[in-house]
Amino acid sequence: EPEVTQTPSHQVTQMGQEVILRCVPISNHLYFYWYRQILGQKVEFLVSFYNNEISEKSEIFDDQFSVERPDGSNFTLKIRSTKLEDSAMYFCASAPAISYEQYFGPGTRLTVT
Amino acid sequence: LAKTTQPISMDSYEGQEVNITCSHNNIATNDYITWYQQFPSQGPRFIIQGYKTKVTNEVASLFIPADRKSSTLSLPRVSLSDTAVYYCLAPSKAAGNKLTFGGGTRVLVKP
């Protein structure tokens, strides 16, 4: 069964550093998402992406965040200057169409020290 | 966006049926009810979605009464591996296709 993959599984970085989280969505999917979950808290929507542009973004997704689909397979989330409060599990998701049935990856645990 | 309310936690035993009820009093006419499951340190996983009456798949059943103000997720004969957090969502088409998760119901299945 096809699945969404994410790398790395765990990333440790120092405050102020840039990080890039990578995702490979399911191959025939067209809609892509990033969510995050701070330890012990709710899963929060960050951004949705379709047709090479952002469809929607949350208040969390400020100028420090960007997304890109550099080729036909990868979907990346960049945080330019990480803060301590960016420490969280980041989940990528994809869907074949506009749908509430989204396929989530296993997540990248980001730890900012 | 309809607010959903569900129990914080439930305990059950292996082999029992688990029913989780979610209330969504202000659900809009066109909105579907969607349930996700999340195991520790994993991403959420779609379980089931419905509009009204009953929907069943290989994992669960979803019961939605005619007024659609609540829904019940039914997990038949649970096993230890069904221990997870279960989220009830009522995403609004007007709000795009983002998913808005609440706190979910933490189900603990005991031997």
Side-chain angles (χ1 to χ4, degrees), chain A residues 4 23 25 31-35 75 91-95 102-105:
Chain A
V4 175
C23 167
Y31 294 81
F32 313 109
Y33 310 84
W34 284 100
Y35 293 82
F75 180 49
F91 296 109
C92 171
S94 69
Q102 297 174 11
Y103 295 76
F104 283 73

Side-chain angles (χ1 to χ4, degrees), chain B residues 72-83:
Chain B
T72 299
L73 177 75
S74 180
L75 305 171
R77 297 180 299 283
V78 293
S79 63
L80 297 177
S81 62
D82 292 315
T83 292

Side-chain angles (χ1 to χ4, degrees), chain A residues 20-84:
Chain A
I20 298 176
L21 309 183
R22 291 184 165 79
C23 167
V24 178
I26 294 172
S27 64
N28 62 343
H29 286 189
L30 301 175
Y31 294 81
F32 313 109
Y33 310 84
W34 284 100
Y35 293 82
R36 80 170 185 190
Q37 186 174 30
I38 295 171
L39 187 64
Q41 297 188 24
K42 301 174 185 178
V43 176
E44 301 173 288
F45 167 79
L46 292 178
V47 66
S48 58
F49 191 86
Y50 168 71
N51 201 25
N52 279 320
E53 58 184 33
I54 290 174
S55 309
E56 190 175 358
K57 58 184 181 179
S58 71
E59 291 179 355
I60 302 168
F61 195 89
D62 61 21
D63 292 344
Q64 293 300 314
F65 290 86
S66 62
V67 289
E68 193 178 36
R69 189 156 160 81
D71 52 44
S73 58
N74 290 285
F75 180 49
T76 61
L77 174 70
K78 182 195 289 187
I79 309 175
R80 286 191 187 78
S81 179
T82 49
K83 305 187 244 283
L84 293 176

Side-chain angles (χ1 to χ4, degrees), chain A residues 31 33 35 37 41-45 48 55-56 89 91 97-107 109, chain B residues 31-32 34 36 38 41-46 49 87 91-103:
Chain A
Y31 294 81
Y33 310 84
Y35 293 82
Q37 186 174 30
Q41 297 188 24
K42 301 174 185 178
V43 176
E44 301 173 288
F45 167 79
S48 58
S55 309
E56 190 175 358
M89 196 77 158
F91 296 109
I98 291 182
S99 170
Y100 303 128
E101 183 175 354
Q102 297 174 11
Y103 295 76
F104 283 73
R109 180 170 299 285
Chain B
D31 293 345
Y32 279 69
T34 307
Y36 275 77
Q38 186 180 27
S41 298
Q42 293 189 29
R45 183 175 78 110
F46 173 88
Q49 178 176 274
Y87 298 98
S92 168
K93 288 188 177 180
N97 55 331
K98 66 175 183 252
L99 298 175
T100 301
F101 290 84

